[in-house]
Amino acid sequence: MKITNLGTKERASFYVATELYKQILHKKESKLGLATGGTMIEMYQALVTLLAKNQLDVSHVETFNLDEYIGLDAEHPASYHQYMNNILFNEYRGFDPQKCHLPNGVAENPECEAERYETLLDEKGPVDIQILGIGQNGHIGFNEPGTPFESVTHRVDLTESTIEANSRYFDDKTDVPKQAISMGLRSIMKAKRIILLAFGPHKKEAITQLAAGHITTDVPATILHLHPNVEVYVDDAAMPDIV
Ligand code: PGA
């Protein structure tokens, strides 16, 4: 694992957007594992700019998002479906909706939906590049501390700290769903290449724990030390004091 401080969020976002752009350029049927959250906004904006400037054909690209809230349908403004539409799929035209996958948050049976999603990943995968953020508690996807490393896509109970962190996207904290469907840690590890982004002082502790190298389910992101091809890009504020 290589942790690189690119100084600012802008620079790191542009760098990672360029990596995604190059991936699509070199393989038009690329499979991308996508993440949501505040961290990713500038990266997607930079990607849209690059795609638009070069009019790249993305119709063969297949995308797999990490997670979706249980109880929010695709139209809900705080759903990850909407996030992806607003930031990427409606901003750069040409993605095939049939090839842009997220778990269905309103599936009648979330367990069956999780199973369907994992099977889809296995059939279509592996993902060429998986993009990840990190929670302040070290989660990746919605894999909260204590999640087994062998986990595949599953229904998760969100921790209080995650509900608190995500309440900024809802009118009221009580509106934040308590559960989600998330790719598991083993699902994430199947990707060929993983890029994790973390910005701001509130991510410094999680990155410090990741950099320490101790692999533990208490900090789910530490599983990434077991993957051969992981890059972490941070800004000054998220960079651990000693690496
Ligand atoms: P954030 O979320 O980008 O909104 O900080 C990241 C995460 O929780 O994985």
Side-chain angles (χ1 to χ4, degrees), residues 36-40 133-136 139-141 166 168-169 202-203:
T36 53
T39 305
M40 301 298 154
I134 186 169
Q136 292 176 54
H139 76 203
I140 48 175
N166 290 6
R168 66 191 192 277
Y169 300 113
H202 57 301
K203 297 295 172 75

Side-chain angles (χ1 to χ4, degrees), residues 3-240:
I3 299 181
T4 305
N5 177 4
L6 289 177
T8 65
K9 181 178 185 175
E10 291 68 28
R11 213 174 294 154
S13 299
F14 182 73
Y15 180 81
V16 174
T18 306
E19 292 304 293
L20 287 179
Y21 176 83
K22 286 192 297 187
Q23 172 64 43
I24 303 169
L25 185 67
H26 292 136
K27 180 181 164 193
K28 67 179 178 6
E29 302 87 4
S30 286
K31 320 274 182 190
L32 304 179
L34 300 180
T36 53
T39 305
M40 301 298 154
I41 292 173
E42 291 181 32
M43 190 279 290
Y44 288 122
Q45 288 170 341
L47 178 60
V48 166
T49 302
L50 281 170
L51 293 172
K53 275 207 166 96
N54 297 285
Q55 286 300 300
L56 198 63
D57 175 16
V58 293
S59 62
H60 302 282
V61 173
E62 193 131 27
T63 67
F64 300 87
N65 265 80
L66 284 167
D67 42 27
E68 180 57 285
Y69 290 113
I70 289 180
L72 301 195
D73 63 32
E75 280 12 275
H76 191 287
S79 71
Y80 291 151
H81 280 79
Q82 275 300 307
Y83 175 106
M84 289 309 303
N85 287 340
N86 292 339
I87 202 130
L88 182 61
F89 303 139
N90 292 345
E91 285 297 297
Y92 184 69
R93 295 293 174 162
F95 285 96
D96 178 353
Q98 301 299 325
K99 293 195 170 81
C100 299
H101 310 285
L102 291 93
N104 176 4
V106 290
E108 204 164 301
N109 183 332
E111 271 76 27
C112 290
E113 172 58 10
E115 217 176 296
R116 180 196 71 81
Y117 201 71
E118 187 70 22
T119 304
L120 187 74
L121 271 172
D122 281 339
E123 283 172 5
K124 308 272 189 183
V127 155
D128 293 295
I129 299 182
Q130 174 68 57
I131 302 294
L132 293 177
I134 186 169
Q136 292 176 54
N137 61 5
H139 76 203
I140 48 175
F142 272 135
N143 295 289
E144 303 285 23
T147 305
F149 283 174
E150 308 75 46
S151 54
V152 293
T153 305
H154 61 302
R155 177 212 285 256
V156 299
D157 292 319
L158 305 183
T159 60
E160 201 44 45
S161 82
T162 298
I163 291 171
E164 182 66 43
N166 290 6
S167 62
R168 66 191 192 277
Y169 300 113
F170 294 82
D171 291 339
D172 193 278
K173 193 178 149 189
T174 57
D175 296 337
V176 185
K178 307 280 183 292
Q179 293 191 319
I181 296 173
S182 176
M183 274 191 208
L185 294 169
R186 198 168 79 198
S187 332
I188 291 170
M189 291 288 280
K190 290 176 191 166
K192 293 186 198 166
R193 178 184 177 196
I194 297 177
I195 299 178
L196 186 147
L197 287 171
F199 306 126
H202 57 301
K203 297 295 172 75
K204 183 172 174 172
E205 178 55 30
I207 297 298
T208 301
Q209 294 206 36
L210 182 60
H214 177 53
I215 300 168
T216 166
T217 55
D218 293 344
V219 184
T222 59
I223 192 178
L224 299 175
H225 286 290
L226 302 174
H227 191 286
N229 199 6
V230 178
E231 298 141 70
V232 178
Y233 297 102
V234 301
D235 63 359
D236 286 332
M239 187 67 185

